[in-house]
Amino acid sequence: MGTQGPPTSIDEKLARQKEIDDWLPISSSRNAKWWYSAFHNVTAMVGAGVLGLPYAMSELGWGPGVVIMVLSWIITLYTLWQMVEMHEMVPGKRFDRYHELGQHAFGEKLGLYIVVPQQLIVEVGVDIVYMVTGGKSLKKFHDTVCSTCKPIKLTYFIMIFASVHFVLSHLPNFNSISGVSLAAAVMSLSYSTIAWGASVDKGVQDNVEYGYKAKSTAGTVFNFFSALGEVAFAYAGHNVVLEIQATIPSTPEKPSKGPMWRGVIVAYIVVALCYFPVALIGYWMFGNAVSDNILISLENPAWLIAMANMFVVIHVIGSYQIYAMPVFDMIETVLVKKLHFKPSTALRFISRNIYVAFTMFVGITFPFFSGLLSFFGGFAFAPTTYFLPCVMWLAIYKPKKYSLSWIANWICIILGLLLMILAPIGALRNIIIEAKTYEFYS
């Protein structure tokens, strides 16, 4: 792993830069089709968050729940459009990564400090939560298929799930995981359909209640806050949208935003088809007795639930990769550009395995699933999804005061800030309550 000496001339420096860019995961291949962006976006958006939506609805209630779901769909679509537009607003230059756009909007140093920590929290956070989800779904699969077996600890299932990633994370770039991603996108549609289809089949439960289930007012309010975080978590595809767009070829007369936007629209229609039926039908059938993962409320038919859980596992495998890709890109950028390591396969192999091991270890240590979801959801997803794009838009385009664009952006910023402040409060309380009864590595 010898380090390279300082480059002598500008040309060499540029050549080395280009060589590194061709090696890095995000900027290395630019020949994606528009439908790649569609299924990458579906995989990134329709997370395991969808299974928690009926539970979030039960904490929000009918009126506020529907309003918040629809509002989130509209706001996130709007901010996504802004990101797609801003990808190439400087002629001849492309912002391939979220933080490059941040640097353009807020300045070299500040841009990094604002965007990178948040993006890392989001991406590493998602990967950790997905480790737990993958492990839990595998466990559920095992328990459903073989109800008489000796129960195996969740810890081991998370390890089994992680073993897949020790292999898959060595795929070099976004285009090479498009197959994984397509499988994942199909899966997410399938298990969403199973979730609401099986709920319809079960019918409305006999003693169904739609009231809030917390006994105290404080409990109701805190649950409401944490449900906001869960909804935010469900709409969190923005952290990888520029990285996905970076894989689409672009020329001045045919910019990449055309195909990308087409992909996004398709993705959002799929998202609506997954989210709304699951959230509304799941809540309608089970009321406030719904569990924080809808597949757990549907015990039978056993084969169907086993299948749905397997679908979740496959989907989460794809999502993990999509969110890990920008992290790998950052790690490798630092290793190669700052620490001057030679770009090599060995470097990649070591750094990526360390990352997978890290997320696995954290997942095993803290598997409080829904609390983590809404804590991360509020703390890091709200900014990157609901209002950072708006702040950048205001900083770069400077629309006139009180014009439509100005008002729309400020509304998003205010709603996003409220979300960021309120959701983690509710989530922390839930985590504390769950942690009281939890033994480590049990």
Side-chain angles (χ1 to χ4, degrees):
M1 309 290 298
T3 52
Q4 294 170 305
T8 43
S9 67
I10 304 277
D11 288 341
E12 263 181 52
K13 204 169 177 179
L14 279 173
R16 168 118 23 115
Q17 189 76 6
K18 173 141 180 28
E19 198 182 310
I20 291 173
D21 268 348
D22 285 345
W23 180 78
L24 286 172
I26 286 169
S27 37
S28 64
S29 61
R30 291 200 195 275
N31 51 1
K33 307 278 181 287
W34 71 267
W35 54 87
Y36 282 26
S37 79
F39 49 74
H40 280 320
N41 272 314
V42 171
T43 308
M45 289 286 299
V46 186
V50 63
L51 300 172
L53 286 175
Y55 181 73
M57 285 288 296
S58 75
E59 294 177 323
L60 294 166
W62 274 124
V66 175
V67 170
I68 285 165
M69 289 281 299
V70 175
L71 256 181
S72 291
W73 194 83
I74 294 167
I75 290 178
T76 52
L77 185 56
Y78 172 62
T79 51
L80 202 70
W81 171 77
Q82 289 181 317
M83 302 275 287
V84 173
E85 282 291 309
M86 288 191 285
H87 179 71
E88 296 178 292
M89 62 200 177
V90 180
K93 191 168 175 222
R94 297 180 67 175
F95 298 113
D96 291 336
R97 300 167 180 81
Y98 207 140
H99 60 89
E100 289 173 10
L101 186 60
Q103 284 174 306
H104 180 76
F106 308 121
E108 286 291 313
K109 272 276 179 350
L110 187 63
L112 277 181
Y113 291 136
I114 292 178
V115 178
V116 171
Q118 292 199 18
Q119 208 185 354
L120 275 176
I121 289 174
V122 168
E123 282 156 1
V124 179
V126 166
D127 281 346
I128 292 167
V129 170
Y130 280 174
M131 276 285 178
V132 179
T133 314
K136 279 198 169 165
S137 295
L138 274 176
K139 183 170 168 33
K140 184 88 173 82
F141 176 75
H142 171 263
D143 297 350
T144 314
V145 169
C146 167
S147 44
T148 49
C149 298
K150 187 167 168 282
I152 302 176
K153 290 199 294 197
L154 179 63
T155 305
Y156 298 129
F157 280 109
I158 295 180
M159 286 177 178
I160 295 168
F161 179 71
S163 64
V164 181
H165 293 295
F166 281 116
V167 179
L168 277 183
S169 57
H170 300 298
L171 290 169
N173 56 35
F174 256 128
N175 279 1
S176 58
I177 58 172
S178 62
V180 181
S181 179
L182 175 65
V186 172
M187 290 305 148
S188 55
L189 251 176
S190 319
Y191 69 70
S192 302
T193 312
I194 288 179
W196 66 259
S199 301
V200 169
D201 185 56
K202 265 202 134 113
V204 180
Q205 301 296 303
D206 302 332
N207 47 3
V208 68
E209 288 178 12
Y210 298 113
Y212 293 124
K213 56 180 170 288
K215 300 286 175 283
S216 60
T217 320
T220 306
V221 174
F222 278 123
N223 280 348
F224 190 90
F225 289 166
S226 93
L228 289 177
E230 283 158 34
V231 174
F233 188 93
Y235 284 103
H238 290 47
N239 299 289
V240 287
V241 65
L242 289 173
E243 285 84 346
I244 293 169
Q245 192 170 349
T247 62
I248 293 179
S250 174
T251 54
E253 54 277 359
K254 277 181 77 174
S256 63
K257 66 184 178 195
M260 180 66 184
W261 182 233
R262 199 181 309 159
V264 170
I265 293 285
V266 172
Y268 255 73
I269 291 169
V270 174
V271 166
L273 289 176
C274 289
Y275 281 18
F276 293 106
V278 174
L280 304 177
I281 295 174
Y283 180 43
W284 180 29
M285 297 305 165
F286 295 103
N288 60 13
V290 72
S291 99
D292 70 347
N293 179 340
I294 178 85
L295 292 180
I296 292 172
S297 295
L298 304 158
E299 277 92 21
N300 51 354
W303 61 271
L304 190 70
I305 304 312
M307 206 163 78
N309 275 299
M310 221 50 226
F311 286 174
V312 174
V313 172
I314 296 172
H315 173 207
V316 170
I317 288 173
S319 291
Y320 184 97
Q321 290 307 321
I322 282 204
Y323 279 96
M325 207 45 91
V327 182
F328 293 152
D329 188 79
M330 281 188 205
I331 296 172
E332 287 162 21
T333 305
V334 170
L335 288 175
V336 173
K337 289 189 179 172
K338 288 275 185 297
L339 306 173
H340 298 297
F341 279 107
K342 250 181 125 80
S344 65
T345 322
L347 179 69
R348 217 168 233 183
F349 183 76
I350 295 164
S351 62
R352 291 186 177 194
N353 278 347
I354 290 171
Y355 174 76
V356 175
F358 167 75
T359 51
M360 176 184 82
F361 183 71
V362 178
I364 290 170
T365 315
F366 308 107
F368 330 113
F369 177 58
S370 67
L372 285 176
L373 239 139
S374 106
F375 182 72
F376 282 127
F379 188 67
F381 288 139
T384 50
T385 309
Y386 287 78
F387 66 85
L388 253 184
C390 296
V391 177
M392 290 179 187
W393 188 269
L394 290 173
I396 294 167
Y397 285 102
K398 303 188 177 56
K400 277 208 288 295
K401 254 192 188 165
Y402 309 119
S403 63
L404 184 63
S405 154
W406 190 87
I407 294 170
N409 284 317
W410 275 107
I411 292 174
C412 292
I413 291 172
I414 290 160
L415 289 174
L417 270 173
L418 281 172
L419 192 65
M420 177 180 167
I421 296 159
L422 299 177
I425 299 174
L428 262 178
R429 176 175 173 275
N430 284 357
I431 291 179
I432 290 164
I433 289 173
E434 284 187 18
K436 277 180 187 160
T437 55
Y438 177 72
E439 290 107 40
F440 277 104
Y441 305 114
S442 61

